[in-house]
Amino acid sequence: MSLVDLGTTLHTDQLTRSRLVRLLPIRIARAIYKELTRGPVVYGLEWGDPDVWTPLRFIRDKYVVPFVSPDHIAVDIGCGGGRWTRYLLGFKTVYAVDYYENLLSEFRKTFARYQHVKPIKNNGTDFPGIPAQSVDYVLSFGCFGHINQTLIDSYLGNIKGILKPRGNVVIHYSDKNKIMAQEPGFADNTPEQMRALVLRHGYTIVQEDTTTMWNGSIIHFTI
């Protein structure tokens, strides 16, 4: 069949299928099934579910999942409700760090049954109770996008204290070069500024992603 064959039923067949799946009883049945089979409702998914949103799924599959190891220790900075902590459960130990006690209380509702997940309330940029040079992987998504350069600088110094040699750090941060980061609440930061901060602390940059996210960028570095 030629692509210009006007006798094709391709589009009319698609319309028939579309009408079927859009029938109200079918839509209701699908919604009920989705609700019954979904996992725990985690605070933070309203900002984007990495299982659903293509850019976040890409970040998950490239910068998070490949680093998970049952012999390693991970830290999630600014864990919130655990939107990204869910993907770190395969680590031997996961330290979930947040400054806000009410967020940690929400976090515990979902992750209390995981004995290897340790919620930690910090004082802003520190890591209370995490042994020096014990961490293999550090992740922060949705936190550094909202804190200023002074706090980022302090965090980078303190990460250096807990990270093992050749440990990996992945941080999502605000990128003011992008229109979506012009909204109130996003920190004044750019890839150039973030790169300079990371290098100033003696880290080695492994890779950067300045295109996937619509309001920020990703930097992956090691020591």
Side-chain angles (χ1 to χ4, degrees):
M1 180 183 66
S2 169
L3 290 178
V4 295
D5 182 1
L6 298 181
T8 178
T9 62
L10 173 65
H11 295 296
T12 54
D13 290 345
Q14 289 178 333
L15 175 61
T16 300
R17 289 193 293 270
S18 176
R19 284 173 173 168
L20 178 63
V21 300
R22 285 184 288 135
L23 289 173
L24 184 59
I26 291 179
R27 286 160 51 201
I28 292 174
R30 291 173 64 188
I32 292 173
Y33 176 80
K34 182 177 180 181
E35 189 64 29
L36 291 175
T37 56
R38 70 188 300 183
V41 181
V42 175
Y43 166 71
L45 291 182
E46 53 265 53
W47 315 123
D49 186 347
D51 286 342
V52 176
W53 287 27
T54 299
L56 297 181
R57 187 165 61 243
F58 175 81
I59 298 297
R60 178 199 67 186
D61 293 344
K62 181 173 182 179
Y63 295 102
V64 182
V65 174
F67 296 97
V68 177
S69 169
D71 300 321
H72 288 177
I73 294 175
V75 172
D76 183 2
I77 301 175
C79 62
R83 174 172 61 146
W84 289 88
T85 317
R86 299 178 298 162
Y87 307 112
L88 306 180
L89 296 178
F91 279 99
K92 178 182 178 181
T93 302
V94 181
Y95 295 106
V97 179
D98 210 291
Y99 175 72
Y100 299 99
E101 181 58 46
N102 57 343
L103 289 180
L104 288 174
S105 295
E106 181 68 23
F107 179 91
R108 291 185 184 98
K109 293 178 183 178
T110 302
F111 295 92
R113 67 183 184 276
Y114 297 103
Q115 298 300 309
H116 69 303
V117 177
K118 316 291 185 183
I120 293 178
K121 183 189 181 306
N122 73 356
N123 299 300
T125 64
D126 58 343
F127 300 99
I130 301 180
Q133 297 181 330
S134 65
V135 174
D136 301 277
Y137 176 78
V138 176
L139 171 69
S140 185
F141 195 101
C143 172
F144 281 62
H146 306 290
I147 61 177
N148 61 39
Q149 294 275 317
T150 300
L151 291 175
I152 291 174
D153 186 62
S154 180
Y155 253 128
L156 291 175
N158 290 328
I159 288 172
K160 199 171 184 179
I162 63 170
L163 193 65
K164 287 181 180 178
R166 296 180 297 280
N168 290 281
V169 183
V170 174
I171 293 176
H172 161 256
Y173 60 93
S174 171
D175 183 350
K176 282 294 188 177
N177 292 328
K178 299 180 178 180
I179 189 67
M180 293 298 289
Q182 303 301 321
E183 297 182 2
F186 285 94
D188 185 8
N189 204 355
T190 64
E192 293 75 22
Q193 291 173 304
M194 189 67 182
R195 189 180 305 125
L197 281 173
V198 168
L199 293 176
R200 188 183 308 160
H201 282 276
Y203 294 105
T204 298
I205 297 173
V206 179
Q207 54 187 330
E208 296 181 73
D209 184 336
T210 61
T211 59
T212 299
M213 297 302 301
W214 52 91
N215 57 14
S217 293
I218 303 290
I219 189 166
H220 168 204
F221 54 93
T222 187
I223 190 171

